[in-house]
């Protein structure tokens, strides 16, 4: 499932964005775009979880504090009763 989320949602929108250039605004815009396209909060959260895993892996393998700690992707998840 993560491969599908990666290929169908992350690559088309974020494929040309360097991980080191990923910031709060990019993630928020990405989330809002998915919401406007009609995706459910559950689907958006799965996509953002996949993105979080990618960023955490990149951070772990780079040996540097990349962007995960600064961004806290969890803050961008869709909550059931919030838009």
């Amino acid at each position: 499932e993560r491969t599908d989320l990666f290929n169908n949602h992350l690559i088309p929108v974020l494929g040309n964005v360097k991980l080191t250039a990923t910031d709060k605004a990019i993630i928020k815009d990405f989330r809002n775009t998915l919401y406007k396209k009609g995706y459910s909060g559950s689907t958006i959260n799965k996509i953002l979880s996949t993105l979080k895993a990618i960023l955490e892996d990149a951070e772990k393998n780079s040996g540097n504090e990349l962007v995960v700690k600064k961004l806290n992707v969890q803050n961008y998840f869709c909550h059931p009763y919030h838009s």
Side-chain angles (χ1 to χ4, degrees), residues 35 40-45 74 76-83:
Y35 181 77
S40 70
S42 175
T43 299
I44 294 170
N45 287 344
Q74 191 74 27
Y76 297 95
F77 282 33
C78 294
H79 301 286
Y81 303 106
H82 300 272
S83 51

Side-chain angles (χ1 to χ4, degrees), residues 20 55-56 58-69:
T20 55
L55 293 173
E56 286 175 339
E59 179 181 68
K60 182 177 93 177
N61 290 322
S62 73
N64 297 319
E65 187 172 302
L66 192 62
V67 291
V68 178
K69 287 183 174 60

Side-chain angles (χ1 to χ4, degrees), residues 1-80:
E1 181 180 28
R2 281 197 174 194
T3 302
D4 291 337
L5 294 172
F6 178 76
N7 289 327
N8 296 330
H9 301 288
L10 292 169
I11 289 297
V13 178
L14 300 174
N16 292 324
V17 178
K18 290 184 178 187
L19 290 178
T20 55
T22 304
D23 62 11
K24 292 177 183 182
I26 288 172
I27 292 175
K28 190 173 183 179
D29 287 344
F30 178 56
R31 182 206 55 200
N32 291 342
T33 298
L34 293 170
Y35 181 77
K36 288 176 186 174
K37 287 183 176 182
Y39 290 102
S40 70
S42 175
T43 299
I44 294 170
N45 287 344
K46 288 177 186 177
I47 295 166
L48 292 176
S49 289
T50 302
L51 176 58
K52 180 180 180 187
I54 292 166
L55 293 173
E56 286 175 339
D57 190 58
E59 179 181 68
K60 182 177 93 177
N61 290 322
S62 73
N64 297 319
E65 187 172 302
L66 192 62
V67 291
V68 178
K69 287 183 174 60
K70 289 192 297 184
L71 291 177
N72 191 4
V73 174
Q74 191 74 27
N75 291 336
Y76 297 95
F77 282 33
C78 294
H79 301 286

